[in-house]
Amino acid sequence: MKISCKIPALILGALLFCLSGFAQKPERWNSATIYHHIKKLSVLGSALYLGAHPDDENTRLISYLGNERYMNTAYLSLTRGDGGQNLTGTEIAELLGVIRTQELLAARRTDGGTQMFTRANDFGFSKNPDETLRIWNRNEVLSDVVWAIRKWQPDVIINRFDANSAGRTHGHHTASAMLSLEAYEQAANKNAFPEQLQFVEPWQPHRIFFNTSWWFYGSRENFEKADKSNMVSLDAGVYYPILGKSNNEIAAESRSMHKSQGFGSMSERGSQLEYLQLLRGDSPKNNDPFDGINTTWSRVKGGAPTGDALKRLEADFRLENPAASVPALMQAYAMMGGLPDGYWKRVKMAEIRDVIAACMGLFAEASATVHSATPGEAVSLNLEIINRSDIPCLLDAVRFVPTGQDTTMNVELPNNQKASWMTAVSLPQDMPLTNAYWLNKKWETGMYTVEDQTLRGLPETPRTFKVMFSLRINGQPFMLDKEVVYKYGDNVKGEVYQPFEVTPPVFVSLPETAYLFTNNAPLPVKVVVKSGAPNVRGTLTLCHPEGWRIDPEQQDFSLNLKGEEKAITFNLYPPDTAALGLISPLAKIGGAAYSKSVTTIGYDHIPTQTILLDAEAKAARIDLKKAGSRVAYIMGAGDKIPESLRQTGYTVDVLDPDGHRDDINVQNLLGYDAVVIGVRAYNTVERLQFDQPKLMEYVKEGGTLIVQYNTNGDLVLPMEEMAPYKLHLSRDRVTVEDAEVRFLAPDHELLNYPNKITEKDFEGWMQERGLYFADEWGDEFTPVLSCNDPGEPPCNGGLLVANYGKGHYIYTGYSWFRELPAGVPGAFRIFANMISIGKKDKP
């Protein structure tokens, strides 16, 4: 059946139904999956698993609680993992946090859990919880944990980490457990964070556990001897015949979603015990964390008959004909609707709506023909709806959100007869943008700024471009609301879904994160202006610090097509003396000003992300001297150092060990003043095990090889082959970014030529001093710098240099991959000295 395009536009957006997360290809539930969810309808129990970072969670236990015990299980990650490294690309900091957020959501779609967060920002490795809680703003993060408990109403909380592990593990880990214990006590206190109580009620979980294991005891032998009288043990290695997988296999698939961290996991099968150590609450009498907790419908006032109806429905379910259960499901749905408002009513009514639609084979979709639009812009939508069952279904009414308008309908949806049509819908002028909400406002190290209480904890920004449509199924009312998506066909991937984005009409961006001035001469600053809508015209200027100057002061731009870009160049003049500040482009259209850049993050394992950030770059007038101009760079796990070095006038060629050209040979390499090995290259680039002899020969023949940090595990070659002399890498790191740096070899060339290095060069560093310093080295090496975190012994292996043949080998664990893109002046001066080593007496 075809429906005329004359149907009002309001109808169209409502016809979206997708059983998985937004902008994912709709999941088609088979009968076994439907039956699994029907069984879950009868269980009213919940658990909250709590850790510090993405990938901290125990996917095996989350999957077990959700798929074996049918408990509503959420993972609360206190951070989004912004401070980690990225093995899939060059995104770091807040953009890496976006990727890891989506990886967590992909993991939860796999293991059946739900995802939550706090406003805490992952500021990098922390050695103790006191530092962590000081930088995080302890009280605010605590309030977010309390908020999560009150929203989720868990019967049990399970901590990933030990609250008594200060100094033995990541400070974020210990802090997460400490906050969890405190929030367990505070969540029921109406005087704790009372501002939350206009949205939620106080809640007291029954118990809180620590998910312990042999790892926390140092060895399996120690754990075997440990007193387990206060522990509950669960066999999480169960097999699910109706899913065709073991719980371990589901957990491995979920764990493997953390691809940016290299956590791909092999499947396991067989029995696997998980241990829960009781921390607070009454002790379970049986080997069950939910012992004595009512997880049936009788916990809801008047809910017992609903539970009885669902049990009968479960017994009568027919795998060959799920639609036969729809009349009973609709009866249970009506019974739920008649119960008093409350948490479990809301949760289970949402679940049963999904089950009813799946039993009917009900598919509905509203897909935009473009991936984005601006407020006030018209969007063309393709609509499709189909009922693939004999259950009578009538499309009764549709309301298009956020316009608030509705239309009365009377459209029958007979079995397997597709209805489709196309129309245009205009977005309201005040339509909110779809940017990641935690990135909308400036934030400080440790905490994102989120003023709206209702947004706190959400994994993503709620999509407001959606429709609510009213159906009559078997004559009974049935409501659905779904988001508009973007869908297109790809010649390789086939059908591809993306989130539909609401964006500003214009974006501005700077291609560099920092502009370095080594003298008084101006530098051209190219501003890229990109239209988010057709026919965009306005003026552009470049905001700059006092004492700097631009020419011209303002320029006009005109962009006729949506997505069109234009590069506009300003000359930026520095002051006469050393200075540091920010520059930011500003586009004006009519009376409105826009200063956001747009970044698209696209990886196959997560939905495409469109992120708006303040368009700004650091401008620094620095005293920088160089000897040499050509650098070869071998990329490792991904960083932006090559672009940063080019900012200071170096010619940088990125060599690809896996490419078809044999760039890595001694003759070619000797044409460079230095070869720089990117971060974690010896962990990630397999080919380097074969190229290492060529690199050593290059050094021997007079070259300079600068090796940045690598982890001491999973190296592609033995550690003793990384350097020409003894070199052992440790896990030593200095996390305090302003820790004192001492000069062990003050007369060494690295500290004096061509730039005289002083304590001032270590000011303004970002996140940390360095990581994975060497802890042992041969006498041939000279340690140049020393630093340490408070109360710890000196770390002297962060910058080591040795002569080898005619050349120089340098190992450095200092975090250049953070400091150079951030425009830290001293970092450039020291790095230039490393590239210049051995050239002091050369013409």
Side-chain angles (χ1 to χ4, degrees), residues 365-373 379-383 422-423 465 484-488 498-501:
E365 184 172 86
S367 61
T369 58
V370 292
H371 79 279
S372 68
V379 180
S380 295
L381 299 177
N382 290 307
L383 279 299
M422 184 173 182
T423 194
F465 189 19
V484 173
V485 296
Y486 171 56
K487 182 177 74 172
Y488 66 94
Q498 288 184 10
F500 179 81
E501 308 289 358

Side-chain angles (χ1 to χ4, degrees), residues 423-445:
T423 194
V425 178
S426 292
L427 301 181
Q429 292 287 349
D430 60 352
M431 187 83 163
L433 305 182
T434 53
N435 191 38
Y437 70 87
W438 62 96
L439 301 179
N440 281 335
K441 295 198 171 186
K442 290 280 190 182
W443 62 90
E444 297 181 356
T445 300

Side-chain angles (χ1 to χ4, degrees), residues 415-428:
N415 186 2
N416 210 30
Q417 298 297 307
K418 181 176 72 172
S420 61
W421 60 96
M422 184 173 182
T423 194
V425 178
S426 292
L427 301 181

